[in-house]
Amino acid sequence: MYIKAYLKEKRELIDSYLKSYFEVPSSPLILHEAIKYSLFAGGKRIRPILAIASYEACGGDSKEILPQASALELIHTYSLIHDDLPAMDNDDLRRGKPTNHKVFGEAMAILAGDALLTEAFFMMTNTVFNGKKLKLSPVLRVIRETSLAVGACGMVGGQAQDILSENLEPDIDTLEFIHLHKTAALITVSVRMGSILALAPKEKLQALTRYGENIGLTFQIIDDILDIEGNTKKLGKTTGSDNRKKKMTYPSLFGIEKSRKRAQNLISDAMDALRIFSREADPLREIASYLIKRRA
Amino acid sequence: MYIKAYLKEKRELIDSYLKSYFEVPSSPLILHEAIKYSLFAGGKRIRPILAIASYEACGGDSKEILPQASALELIHTYSLIHDDLPAMDNDDLRRGKPTNHKVFGEAMAILAGDALLTEAFFMMTNTVFNGKKLKLSPVLRVIRETSLAVGACGMVGGQAQDILSENLEPDIDTLEFIHLHKTAALITVSVRMGSILALAPKEKLQALTRYGENIGLTFQIIDDILDIEGNTKKLGKTTGSDNRKKKMTYPSLFGIEKSRKRAQNLISDAMDALRIFSREADPLREIASYLIKRRA
């Protein structure tokens, strides 16, 4: 149960930072409400936690990089809001609640996403936090890598390919492209962020990158399996929707059993990548095990 | 005619940088095409030119900040694509061509905007260009100020208020809020950018900020006047659309004559702000005169 306590502790740290950050309302109020609605809809804060766990594995104290780590959750939330739009995946339910555009209308949902993405970069430029002054060079590098990972060459490209591939015959190359860009890119850069901000040596950064890529892909495969196997209530979103939309997924191409096997292999490789670390990487190891076992 | 040659020279510099930047296609190709379609639709590059003119006024060489300056055009283009969407202003025509979503569909238009916004921040992190190595601290400050100017507390907030104010009784406070946030914030930060990157002293930065705020407001007022007076062909967008959509504009509240007068006063104040500069600020002065005289 150690990992659950760890995840809870870090999630509360991040939530508390985000709550205080968005405490002062901006104008117009409805935009502020739309932003908060999705940001505080019960997200697990996995990406910020990965950045923090990686920072700690490289000798840092989690409280020092809360702005940079939490910015990853803003980016993740923006991507969910835009992906759910009628013109995109047209989803009505997210984390058990009506999607942003269902509550605030399409215009506000688009703008809330735009605002979250923009605010993420503002948040990342905060270099003095909790008494720690981060060096400027790694902060700039983190902004550079994050923007690359979530733009046309990363997450946005993956989402575009995902949309374009609906109703097409599934093929492994396209599927891997979608997974690597749409999901794994942001997860990988989350793990790299912690390591870069901790000024870790190259070999640690490389090991953590390999770890990140592996769990990033796993994350998407498990997501696709849960879309078939999970139940709507537990997952908080409509299950079976990938199939209805004729999305290209791992299980649709290889079946559930082979997909689970593939996820297990990826996790083994992620664990192997961490072997140059001692106990300080235990949270990262446990997160990897946790990801493959998750049911929601 | 000096200013026309100046604007042409700088526009070509920016266009050439942007062309080479987007030369290598990213995948999927259609997203790349959607991005290029709007980015190379004949924009005047006013925001990058303002950054460059401000950098030059503070002693810099324009070629050194092309990445940061050009990033402003990416942000401007993203805002146009998203503003034109059916859920927002629902415009069919922009710069004389069908709007992005009319050509590429809504999903690609949303993603092209997302990609441009993200790429802008990536572009801004480029600190070594044309043999010049920019200091990291002003680059980080520029990223911080730009993200603030175009997020919920800036441009996105202005657009949200604009949408929310359609069909409402016009009032001066709301109108000023929309103009200051939707248009003036990005223009002001464009001018500030040049000054910050040139490591200009505080008094110059303050003077340029006042200049930027004044021409930013002027820009929107003239835009609103042209929407009434201009002709569709010259302007490249459907005129009279503000009125049809019952947008809150300066002319709708004060009439055209009073609006022109207000614009002239703002330009006078912008000129006054520049009096601490000598000849090196002449392009900024001429841009201000040019803005108020523009007919398209």
Short mmCIF file of all heavy atoms in Angstrom, two decimals, chain A residues 128-156:
data_model
loop_
_atom_site.label_atom_id
_atom_site.label_comp_id
_atom_site.label_asym_id
_atom_site.label_seq_id
_atom_site.Cartn_x
_atom_site.Cartn_y
_atom_site.Cartn_z
N VAL A 128 11.52 30.68 -8.93
CA VAL A 128 11.80 30.76 -7.49
C VAL A 128 10.57 30.28 -6.74
O VAL A 128 9.51 30.89 -6.81
CB VAL A 128 12.12 32.21 -7.06
CG1 VAL A 128 12.51 32.24 -5.59
CG2 VAL A 128 13.23 32.79 -7.92
N PHE A 129 10.72 29.16 -6.04
CA PHE A 129 9.56 28.59 -5.37
C PHE A 129 10.01 27.86 -4.11
O PHE A 129 10.99 27.12 -4.14
CB PHE A 129 8.83 27.63 -6.31
CG PHE A 129 7.48 27.23 -5.80
CD1 PHE A 129 6.44 28.16 -5.80
CD2 PHE A 129 7.24 25.96 -5.30
CE1 PHE A 129 5.19 27.81 -5.32
CE2 PHE A 129 5.99 25.62 -4.82
CZ PHE A 129 4.97 26.54 -4.83
N ASN A 130 9.29 28.08 -3.02
CA ASN A 130 9.60 27.44 -1.75
C ASN A 130 11.08 27.58 -1.38
O ASN A 130 11.73 26.62 -0.94
CB ASN A 130 9.21 25.97 -1.79
CG ASN A 130 7.81 25.74 -1.23
OD1 ASN A 130 7.39 26.44 -0.31
ND2 ASN A 130 7.10 24.78 -1.78
N GLY A 131 11.60 28.78 -1.60
CA GLY A 131 12.97 29.06 -1.17
C GLY A 131 14.05 28.51 -2.09
O GLY A 131 15.24 28.73 -1.86
N LYS A 132 13.64 27.82 -3.14
CA LYS A 132 14.63 27.26 -4.07
C LYS A 132 14.67 28.14 -5.32
O LYS A 132 13.64 28.46 -5.89
CB LYS A 132 14.21 25.84 -4.43
CG LYS A 132 15.00 25.21 -5.58
CD LYS A 132 16.29 24.56 -5.11
CE LYS A 132 16.96 23.80 -6.24
NZ LYS A 132 18.23 23.18 -5.80
N LYS A 133 15.87 28.49 -5.75
CA LYS A 133 15.99 29.22 -7.01
C LYS A 133 16.53 28.25 -8.06
O LYS A 133 17.68 27.81 -7.97
CB LYS A 133 16.91 30.43 -6.84
CG LYS A 133 17.15 31.16 -8.13
CD LYS A 133 17.25 32.66 -8.01
CE LYS A 133 17.43 33.31 -9.38
NZ LYS A 133 16.73 32.67 -10.50
N LEU A 134 15.69 27.89 -9.01
CA LEU A 134 16.13 26.97 -10.06
C LEU A 134 17.08 27.68 -11.02
O LEU A 134 16.94 28.88 -11.26
CB LEU A 134 14.91 26.44 -10.84
CG LEU A 134 13.89 25.61 -10.06
CD1 LEU A 134 12.67 25.33 -10.94
CD2 LEU A 134 14.49 24.30 -9.58
N LYS A 135 18.00 26.94 -11.58
CA LYS A 135 18.88 27.52 -12.61
C LYS A 135 18.05 27.77 -13.88
O LYS A 135 17.16 26.99 -14.21
CB LYS A 135 20.02 26.56 -12.92
CG LYS A 135 21.13 26.58 -11.88
CD LYS A 135 22.38 25.88 -12.43
CE LYS A 135 23.39 25.60 -11.33
NZ LYS A 135 23.83 26.80 -10.59
N LEU A 136 18.36 28.85 -14.58
CA LEU A 136 17.55 29.23 -15.74
C LEU A 136 17.71 28.27 -16.92
O LEU A 136 16.75 27.99 -17.64
CB LEU A 136 17.90 30.66 -16.19
CG LEU A 136 17.77 31.75 -15.14
CD1 LEU A 136 17.88 33.12 -15.80
CD2 LEU A 136 16.47 31.63 -14.38
N SER A 137 18.91 27.77 -17.11
CA SER A 137 19.16 26.94 -18.28
C SER A 137 18.30 25.67 -18.30
O SER A 137 17.66 25.37 -19.31
CB SER A 137 20.66 26.62 -18.36
OG SER A 137 20.90 25.62 -19.28
N PRO A 138 18.24 24.90 -17.21
CA PRO A 138 17.34 23.73 -17.23
C PRO A 138 15.86 24.09 -17.32
O PRO A 138 15.08 23.36 -17.93
CB PRO A 138 17.65 23.00 -15.93
CG PRO A 138 18.42 23.94 -15.09
CD PRO A 138 19.10 24.90 -16.02
N VAL A 139 15.47 25.23 -16.75
CA VAL A 139 14.06 25.64 -16.85
C VAL A 139 13.72 25.92 -18.32
O VAL A 139 12.69 25.46 -18.83
CB VAL A 139 13.77 26.88 -15.98
CG1 VAL A 139 12.38 27.46 -16.29
CG2 VAL A 139 13.88 26.54 -14.51
N LEU A 140 14.61 26.62 -18.99
CA LEU A 140 14.39 26.93 -20.40
C LEU A 140 14.37 25.64 -21.23
O LEU A 140 13.56 25.48 -22.16
CB LEU A 140 15.50 27.86 -20.90
CG LEU A 140 15.14 28.81 -22.03
CD1 LEU A 140 13.93 29.66 -21.69
CD2 LEU A 140 16.33 29.72 -22.38
N ARG A 141 15.25 24.71 -20.87
CA ARG A 141 15.28 23.44 -21.58
C ARG A 141 13.98 22.67 -21.39
O ARG A 141 13.46 22.03 -22.32
CB ARG A 141 16.47 22.60 -21.08
CG ARG A 141 16.62 21.29 -21.80
CD ARG A 141 17.88 20.56 -21.39
NE ARG A 141 17.94 19.24 -21.98
CZ ARG A 141 18.82 18.32 -21.64
NH1 ARG A 141 19.74 18.59 -20.72
NH2 ARG A 141 18.80 17.13 -22.20
N VAL A 142 13.45 22.72 -20.19
CA VAL A 142 12.20 22.03 -19.88
C VAL A 142 11.04 22.64 -20.68
O VAL A 142 10.18 21.91 -21.20
CB VAL A 142 11.95 22.09 -18.35
CG1 VAL A 142 10.48 21.99 -18.02
CG2 VAL A 142 12.76 21.01 -17.63
N ILE A 143 11.02 23.96 -20.78
CA ILE A 143 9.98 24.62 -21.59
C ILE A 143 10.13 24.18 -23.05
O ILE A 143 9.14 23.87 -23.72
CB ILE A 143 10.09 26.16 -21.46
CG1 ILE A 143 9.76 26.59 -20.04
CG2 ILE A 143 9.17 26.86 -22.47
CD1 ILE A 143 10.01 28.06 -19.75
N ARG A 144 11.37 24.15 -23.50
CA ARG A 144 11.64 23.77 -24.89
C ARG A 144 11.19 22.33 -25.16
O ARG A 144 10.49 22.05 -26.12
CB ARG A 144 13.15 23.92 -25.14
CG ARG A 144 13.56 23.75 -26.59
CD ARG A 144 14.99 24.25 -26.81
NE ARG A 144 15.44 23.97 -28.16
CZ ARG A 144 15.15 24.72 -29.22
NH1 ARG A 144 14.41 25.79 -29.07
NH2 ARG A 144 15.57 24.41 -30.41
N GLU A 145 11.58 21.41 -24.29
CA GLU A 145 11.24 20.00 -24.49
C GLU A 145 9.74 19.76 -24.36
O GLU A 145 9.15 18.97 -25.10
CB GLU A 145 11.99 19.12 -23.49
CG GLU A 145 13.47 19.02 -23.79
CD GLU A 145 14.09 17.74 -23.25
OE1 GLU A 145 13.35 16.88 -22.74
OE2 GLU A 145 15.32 17.61 -23.34
N THR A 146 9.12 20.45 -23.41
CA THR A 146 7.68 20.25 -23.22
C THR A 146 6.90 20.76 -24.44
O THR A 146 5.99 20.07 -24.93
CB THR A 146 7.19 20.96 -21.94
OG1 THR A 146 7.97 20.50 -20.83
CG2 THR A 146 5.72 20.66 -21.67
N SER A 147 7.26 21.94 -24.92
CA SER A 147 6.53 22.48 -26.08
C SER A 147 6.73 21.58 -27.31
O SER A 147 5.81 21.40 -28.10
CB SER A 147 6.96 23.92 -26.38
OG SER A 147 8.35 24.01 -26.54
N LEU A 148 7.91 21.00 -27.42
CA LEU A 148 8.14 20.09 -28.54
C LEU A 148 7.29 18.82 -28.38
O LEU A 148 6.69 18.33 -29.35
CB LEU A 148 9.63 19.71 -28.61
CG LEU A 148 10.07 18.95 -29.86
CD1 LEU A 148 9.92 19.82 -31.10
CD2 LEU A 148 11.52 18.48 -29.74
N ALA A 149 7.21 18.33 -27.16
CA ALA A 149 6.49 17.07 -26.90
C ALA A 149 4.98 17.19 -27.08
O ALA A 149 4.31 16.20 -27.34
CB ALA A 149 6.81 16.57 -25.48
N VAL A 150 4.44 18.40 -26.93
CA VAL A 150 2.99 18.52 -26.99
C VAL A 150 2.48 19.27 -28.22
O VAL A 150 1.28 19.49 -28.35
CB VAL A 150 2.39 19.14 -25.69
CG1 VAL A 150 2.78 18.29 -24.49
CG2 VAL A 150 2.82 20.59 -25.49
N GLY A 151 3.39 19.65 -29.13
CA GLY A 151 2.98 20.36 -30.33
C GLY A 151 2.73 19.45 -31.52
O GLY A 151 2.40 18.27 -31.36
N ALA A 152 2.89 20.03 -32.71
CA ALA A 152 2.60 19.28 -33.95
C ALA A 152 3.47 18.04 -34.07
O ALA A 152 3.05 17.02 -34.64
CB ALA A 152 2.80 20.19 -35.16
N CYS A 153 4.68 18.09 -33.54
CA CYS A 153 5.59 16.93 -33.62
C CYS A 153 5.37 15.98 -32.45
O CYS A 153 6.10 15.00 -32.30
CB CYS A 153 7.04 17.40 -33.63
SG CYS A 153 7.43 18.41 -35.06
N GLY A 154 4.40 16.26 -31.61
CA GLY A 154 4.14 15.42 -30.44
C GLY A 154 2.65 15.16 -30.28
O GLY A 154 1.98 14.66 -31.18
N MET A 155 2.13 15.58 -29.14
CA MET A 155 0.75 15.26 -28.76
C MET A 155 -0.29 15.72 -29.79
O MET A 155 -1.20 14.94 -30.14
CB MET A 155 0.45 15.87 -27.39
CG MET A 155 -0.85 15.43 -26.79
SD MET A 155 -1.06 16.07 -25.10
CE MET A 155 -1.30 17.82 -25.40
N VAL A 156 -0.18 16.95 -30.26
CA VAL A 156 -1.17 17.45 -31.23
C VAL A 156 -1.12 16.64 -32.52
O VAL A 156 -2.15 16.30 -33.11
CB VAL A 156 -0.98 18.96 -31.50
CG1 VAL A 156 -1.87 19.43 -32.64
CG2 VAL A 156 -1.28 19.78 -30.25
#
